[in-house]
Amino acid sequence: MSDDDTGPYKILDEMPPTPRLPGSVSLFDHADGAIDAIGLDIVNQAKACVRSFGDFHLALSGGSTPMPLYQRMMIDPAFRDMPWRRTHLWIVDERCVPFEDERSNYRQIAELIVDHSGIPKSQVHPIHAYEPDADALYEDELRETLGWREKGHDRLDFVLLGMGDDGHTASLFPHSQALRVDDRFACFNRGPQVTPPDRVTMTYPLINSARFIGILVLGKKKAHMVHRIATGADPVRDIPIKGVSPIGGEQRWYLDSDAARWG
Ligand code: 6PG
């Protein structure tokens, strides 16, 4: 099938089988379906958390995959119920560059969401990754803000992750030092295994304590890695996203058919 045949209205003749990934897997013909589904899950989780706790803690990733989702959440009436005024917005990982730099995740997320959603600025939590103690500062901010909640509920409510075609997620790169951090919520990640520039990233303990982890993986470039995760026995140090495993929370993958089709 040529790329021209895969426009949004084309029904695929055959869907690939759903890959057996840890957690649950939602598979869609097209990227649009996956984007809608994760967006609606964010809104539903947000409404439930606001009802239960009065607020909602959402951590967003950078990368190119979720940008159409962020855009759609601002303009599509299907997402108009999103309680932005009760939402705290966190950043999963950040490049060690100033916010003005076009590689800054915060810059991209701010342009798409912060500037248009009506979220109070005091509830937006960028990582100041260019500061020498950015990781400790972020950890303090997380502990202080989540600490307003009752013990046990003091965790992120929704962490949205992407995946690189090397199996990295957040800024947890294969064989990098941040994979070994088990006593902090955020840390720098540097060294030859890290795609430059240096990063600050949320760690496994923080990500895995979340109430809901949504992993959005789209496109055929990711199909090889999806297949390896579903069928192989590679260790976490080779495929860091395999270290994502919520303790008492829920994990869901949102895939399009291109990401699920292999062989
Ligand atoms: C980042 C991310 C990173 C991203 C993957 C996938 O800031 O780059 O947090 O983990 O999700 O690299 O990126 P793409 O969506 O661009 O493929």
Side-chain angles (χ1 to χ4, degrees), residues 61-66 93 95 105 162-164 168-171 199 222:
S61 286
S64 55
T65 308
D93 62 318
R95 292 160 178 80
N105 280 345
M163 181 184 81
H168 83 263
T169 193
S171 282
R199 316 287 180 111
K222 310 281 169 78

Side-chain angles (χ1 to χ4, degrees), residues 60-67 92-95 103 105 108 160-166 168-173 199 216 218 221-222:
L60 295 181
S61 286
S64 55
T65 308
M67 296 305 149
V92 170
D93 62 318
E94 187 57 279
R95 292 160 178 80
R103 293 168 297 174
N105 280 345
Q108 289 187 295
L160 188 153
L161 298 175
M163 181 184 81
D165 47 15
D166 61 353
H168 83 263
T169 193
S171 282
L172 299 165
F173 289 91
R199 316 287 180 111
L216 181 64
L218 306 175
K221 260 179 65 188
K222 310 281 169 78

Side-chain angles (χ1 to χ4, degrees), residues 26-130:
S26 297
L27 176 61
F28 301 87
D29 285 13
H30 298 290
D32 270 352
I35 287 171
D36 279 347
I38 194 168
L40 289 175
D41 281 347
I42 292 174
V43 174
N44 288 333
Q45 291 288 329
K47 291 198 299 196
C49 287
V50 168
R51 269 197 304 275
S52 302
F53 314 120
D55 56 13
F56 175 60
H57 288 273
L58 171 66
L60 295 181
S61 286
S64 55
T65 308
M67 296 305 149
L69 164 69
Y70 303 159
Q71 218 159 14
R72 194 163 324 161
M73 288 190 78
M74 293 302 104
I75 56 175
D76 188 329
F79 304 121
R80 74 157 71 94
D81 284 356
M82 176 69 191
W84 287 110
R85 294 196 165 279
R86 299 292 192 91
T87 297
H88 281 262
L89 181 57
W90 301 91
I91 307 292
V92 170
D93 62 318
E94 187 57 279
R95 292 160 178 80
C96 297
V97 296
F99 295 140
E100 305 76 56
D101 190 297
E102 60 186 19
R103 293 168 297 174
S104 158
N105 280 345
Y106 177 68
R107 176 192 163 130
Q108 289 187 295
I109 292 169
E111 279 172 3
L112 290 174
I113 294 183
V114 178
D115 299 348
H116 309 285
S117 57
I119 185 171
K121 285 277 152 54
S122 60
Q123 292 166 206
V124 179
H125 307 279
I127 305 175
H128 297 264
Y130 45 83

